[in-house]
Amino acid sequence: MKIIGLHFGHDASITIIIDGKIVVHVLAERHNRVKHSVGLRAAEIDAALSAAGLEWREIDCCAVVSTQDLEIMTGLVGDDFAIRPGDTKQHPVPSPFMQLLESAGTPLESLLVKGLQKVAELDEERAALPENQRWTKIFPEWQKFRAGRISSVGWLNVFIAHDRWNAGRGMEDIRSDGIDPAMFGNATRLGMHIPVTVSWKGHSVPGYFVDHHVCHAASAYYRSGFENSAIITHDGGDASRNLSGLFCYGQGSRLYTLGPHHLALGGIYRAMGIKLGFGAIGPEGKLMGLSSYGQPRFFDSRFVGNVHDSQKRFGEGPFSAWYRHCLKLAEQGHYDLLHGEASQVLNPISVDMAASTQKLFAEGYLLAAEVLHQGLAESDRGTANLCLTGGAALNCPSNSRLYNESAFRDIYIDPNCDDGGLSVGGALFIFHNLMDHPVDLATAKNNRSPFFGLQWPAGLSEEIFVDAGQRYAVSKPDNMAASAATDLDENKVLALYEGRSEMGPRALCHRSVLANPTDHGNWARVNGIKGREAWRPFAPVVIEEKRQDWFAGCPIHSPYMLFTARVRSRRLPAITHVDGSSRIQTVSAETGAIYQILREFDALTGIPVLMNTSLNGPGVPIVERPDEAYELFKDSAIDVLYLNGMRIGKK
Ligand SMILES: [Fe+2]
């Protein structure tokens, strides 16, 4: 069974699974070089098909998904690419939602949304507002779309819903109502998709639109290896429209949607990042780094809850209420109120607002986890497992608090828990939940590898070595790991490029910059090399079996850099954040060359830890191709490039 997942929203991506196993994953931004890029192009889909050794006509089924409110730009793939929703003839799995619409006489078309088209219709001034600029900046074909030269089909934000979901329930209402037993039947399990037909290159493939958050849930749950699990999906979607995330439950091959939690933590976090001057593209990661500099002096437990709690308590939306509250306390506390510019992010008001928002975020998650844990226990489906997914699961300090403080004992977070993982989730949802294929542990383990990027031809690297030979010292070390460890011990900054690229937003040592963690100066030095703000922290990689000697307070297995740990040693100043924390990646032999490099570095220095950051320039995606890595090496102050086993060193 060959299934292709196509995600057309921001962080657009393609995933092909064969008999449940991921064989290739292509993140569009790595190919068109626009961070968080919207939409898919023919070349990207073709590259994924060719990597899987397949033609389009050999695909059995297609999952289609988009970001909330964003239409699918079919014309970007090509004039011969079309998606026709609602055709049920070739589809093996019925769609109760379509049947419901038909019996109610509601045309599906009336529910399809085209959010980008609305932005395209705005005048220049309004299109330049941060919330709109977010789209125009990450959509390279924007002007063409605006001029009406790219055709599209609307996306479906809502599928089957329970009456309670729209009843304005606060978090305590959700707790006291419990979980309707019907939610563990087919009511929503088979209600979060509709049939579509995807036509391209003269061939039609049956497929399904799958609900955005259900794809997030599937992406985490089916890879987790858990026999059953509570699942929380959460991102920056509109909580007042039930688009910010779901409580779900997975059992075997089945994924049950229990209902929306109406949390607005992702939206609050993003809005605060923009308020503090981090811009419309990716403010969340910077806010997370900044939060360690402050104290949560503005935190107030009255703000912990969901969007409906906020409306009831304050009569307004969660962010406006929260921001006003922070400003009021800052004024009473005689803070200098200046904030909002990049030069003001280290002002006391900025760092305390960041720390307070971080605490609000984590407390909100802890409450949600408690409510879900209790609801499942009362439904005789108690579980110690939790899958976290959606872009909000990139928040490492909050993830670690859930690990340390919630009732769940084991937590799995997918490496591309942001929208980049939706193509994975859509494909797995169809295979397991709709087609009822059981999940086996070997397949889940295969699917937990993040290294499913394209394999670039060896010829590309050969051309680089020829060119490099004329300007740099090029060699093929007998022991590449020992050579790299010596370079690091000599305090050189390395670029490590190896094999297939990693999924998700964080570099996991196939496209990484490495440095010696014992030299505090490397913090400023590598920020300088990468063109980042000097205050931004760096993460460590550590040999998994030695993690406990150096870090505390996070899972032993943290392979995707999604948990924060407390640093136990003073010997690692370059990767220890100002509050003594660190966002760790644990490494095993399966990770790749980095494992041996760490072992060799440990043998030389007694330290099984290195500084690791992504191999990219400022504001652009992680490099994908070997020639991009080489160009970045040439243009930067990186000392040495290890490229598929070869060493290129600046003389
Ligand atoms: Fe999302």
Side-chain angles (χ1 to χ4, degrees):
M1 174 60 59
K2 304 167 195 82
I3 303 176
I4 190 166
L6 301 175
H7 165 52
F8 290 88
H10 66 67
D11 297 285
S13 66
I14 303 145
T15 301
I16 297 175
I17 64 169
I18 299 180
D19 296 333
K21 281 191 174 176
I22 300 174
V23 293
V24 62
H25 173 79
V26 169
L27 189 60
E29 68 161 32
R30 304 277 173 87
H31 299 270
N32 72 354
R33 312 302 303 153
V34 176
K35 222 169 177 180
H36 305 299
S37 178
V38 170
L40 293 173
R41 293 135 204 92
E44 294 148 6
I45 305 176
D46 275 331
L49 285 166
S50 144
L54 295 173
E55 305 267 346
W56 172 250
R57 61 183 161 71
E58 294 176 273
I59 294 292
D60 298 307
C61 195
C62 180
V64 178
V65 58
S66 190
T67 301
Q68 299 94 328
D69 287 330
L70 296 194
E71 57 270 58
I72 294 159
M73 276 146 299
T74 48
L76 205 55
V77 182
D79 292 337
D80 62 338
F81 183 85
I83 296 178
R84 202 170 57 254
D87 187 345
T88 56
K89 289 183 194 68
Q90 301 178 60
H91 295 80
V93 182
S95 168
F97 184 59
M98 283 298 292
Q99 290 159 2
L100 205 68
L101 291 181
E102 277 160 23
S103 62
T106 308
L108 176 67
E109 287 66 34
S110 66
L111 299 180
L112 298 179
V113 292
K114 290 196 170 189
L116 278 171
Q117 194 169 302
K118 284 189 186 155
V119 180
E121 286 161 6
L122 298 174
D123 57 36
E124 292 290 339
E125 197 180 326
R126 290 188 61 209
L129 294 172
E131 64 267 30
N132 298 322
Q133 222 184 39
R134 179 185 183 193
W135 304 124
T136 59
K137 279 192 172 173
I138 64 175
F139 185 18
E141 298 88 352
W142 170 249
Q143 289 303 345
K144 226 171 123 187
F145 177 74
R146 199 167 201 190
R149 298 210 301 276
I150 297 175
S151 53
S152 66
V153 60
W155 170 242
L156 194 58
N157 274 338
V158 288
F159 292 77
I160 272 185
H162 191 285
D163 288 345
R164 283 181 190 168
W165 295 4
N166 295 314
R169 295 190 309 162
M171 205 47 92
E172 291 308 325
D173 302 323
I174 295 175
R175 188 204 297 270
S176 58
D177 283 354
I179 301 169
D180 185 335
M183 297 298 98
F184 298 104
N186 284 340
T188 59
R189 182 177 87 78
L190 295 176
M192 309 308 279
H193 67 279
I194 61 158
V196 298
T197 300
V198 186
S199 307
W200 194 33
K201 303 181 181 197
H203 181 76
S204 291
V205 173
Y208 300 93
F209 273 4
V210 185
D211 176 79
H212 179 103
H213 280 284
V214 163
C215 287
H216 276 313
S219 168
Y221 173 62
Y222 292 120
R223 285 193 269 181
S224 69
F226 294 149
E227 283 178 9
N228 58 47
S229 182
I231 307 163
I232 302 176
T233 81
H234 184 35
D235 61 19
D238 183 351
S240 64
R241 291 189 292 146
N242 298 353
L243 301 180
S244 70
L246 296 172
F247 285 151
C248 299
Y249 176 68
Q251 187 171 34
S253 63
R254 302 191 161 194
L255 184 61
Y256 301 99
T257 298
L258 308 178
H261 46 56
H262 315 289
L263 288 173
L265 303 169
I268 292 171
Y269 208 80
R270 176 179 168 75
M272 183 57 88
I274 292 172
K275 277 282 181 207
L276 294 184
F278 293 138
I281 312 296
E284 300 91 343
K286 292 185 182 179
L287 185 69
M288 184 168 73
L290 186 71
S291 65
S292 293
Y293 285 88
Q295 293 297 324
R297 294 189 175 95
F298 308 138
F299 175 75
D300 184 326
S301 58
R302 288 177 305 144
F303 290 85
V304 177
N306 68 16
V307 69
H308 299 303
D309 291 316
S310 175
Q311 284 295 349
K312 282 177 207 159
R313 291 169 192 163
F314 311 109
E316 62 182 320
F319 180 68
S320 55
W322 170 245
Y323 182 62
R324 239 172 7 86
H325 159 82
C326 289
L327 281 184
K328 190 173 139 201
L329 289 200
E331 213 169 336
Q332 287 169 358
H334 306 292
Y335 281 69
D336 177 347
L337 297 181
L338 279 181
H339 67 283
E341 301 287 337
S343 59
Q344 295 161 346
V345 294
L346 291 177
N347 287 3
I349 185 172
S350 302
V351 296
D352 282 358
M353 282 210 278
S356 305
T357 306
Q358 178 59 46
K359 179 159 182 175
L360 178 69
F361 187 99
E363 295 289 338
Y365 249 115
L366 280 163
L367 173 63
E370 188 188 308
V371 168
L372 178 56
H373 187 269
Q374 183 182 338
L376 286 171
E378 288 170 0
S379 305
D380 294 328
R381 283 181 170 76
T383 176
N385 302 324
L386 174 65
C387 289
L388 284 179
T389 182
L394 291 170
N395 192 295
C396 307
S398 168
N399 295 342
S400 280
R401 287 202 58 195
L402 281 164
Y403 176 74
N404 289 314
E405 298 172 42
S406 79
F408 294 103
R409 295 281 38 95
D410 205 352
I411 297 185
Y412 176 78
I413 309 171
D414 39 342
N416 46 359
C417 59
D418 61 350
D419 281 9
L422 293 172
S423 61
V424 179
L428 292 176
F429 176 83
I430 289 176
F431 186 73
H432 292 296
N433 189 60
L434 294 191
M435 297 181 171
D436 221 8
H437 292 287
V439 187
D440 70 81
L441 290 179
T443 301
K445 184 171 188 289
N446 170 82
N447 293 349
R448 281 199 295 277
S449 165
F451 305 115
F452 284 111
L454 299 178
Q455 187 81 54
W456 295 96
L460 269 179
S461 300
E462 296 304 326
E463 284 171 27
I464 292 165
F465 301 142
V466 171
D467 181 86
Q470 293 161 17
R471 346 160 166 228
Y472 305 116
V474 179
S475 60
K476 185 164 178 32
D478 292 336
N479 184 339
M480 191 275 264
S483 167
T486 303
D487 283 331
L488 288 159
D489 188 35
E490 290 169 1
N491 211 14
K492 294 189 174 96
V493 174
L494 264 60
L496 177 64
Y497 181 103
E498 181 192 2
R500 303 176 71 177
S501 60
E502 44 272 72
M503 294 175 168
R506 295 190 179 146
L508 302 174
C509 296
H510 278 207
R511 304 285 189 278
S512 282
V513 173
L514 304 174
N516 190 318
T518 63
D519 179 359
H520 186 263
N522 281 338
W523 184 329
R525 180 182 174 201
V526 180
N527 266 331
I529 288 173
K530 291 201 53 174
R532 306 196 325 172
E533 299 87 337
W535 56 267
R536 290 182 61 195
F538 285 103
V541 278
V542 58
I543 295 175
E544 185 168 289
E545 57 267 28
K546 298 206 171 184
R547 194 276 288 162
Q548 281 162 303
D549 299 336
W550 296 83
F551 302 95
C554 87
I556 290 171
H557 191 58
S558 170
Y560 312 131
M561 218 190 271
L562 289 165
F563 291 92
T564 303
R566 184 167 49 76
V567 184
R568 299 179 67 186
S569 166
R570 291 175 179 230
R571 296 171 70 193
L572 306 171
I575 57 85
T576 306
H577 206 354
V578 289
D579 60 352
S581 71
S582 207
R583 192 179 73 183
I584 77 169
Q585 179 195 353
T586 57
V587 164
S588 62
E590 290 163 0
T591 317
I594 184 66
Y595 181 70
Q596 279 305 329
I597 295 174
L598 280 165
R599 284 173 62 104
E600 295 285 353
F601 189 73
D602 188 19
L604 275 179
T605 64
I607 293 171
V609 181
L610 287 166
M611 178 203 268
N612 167 34
T613 182
S614 54
L615 183 57
N616 58 340
V620 294
I622 298 174
V623 304
E624 172 61 31
R625 297 162 52 101
D627 44 333
E628 289 161 2
Y630 181 52
E631 289 304 317
L632 181 61
F633 167 72
K634 284 198 291 188
D635 294 343
S636 70
I638 295 170
D639 300 307
V640 186
L641 167 63
Y642 281 89
L643 184 76
N644 292 333
M646 295 288 283
R647 181 186 186 279
I648 305 175
K650 287 179 182 152
K651 289 171 184 163

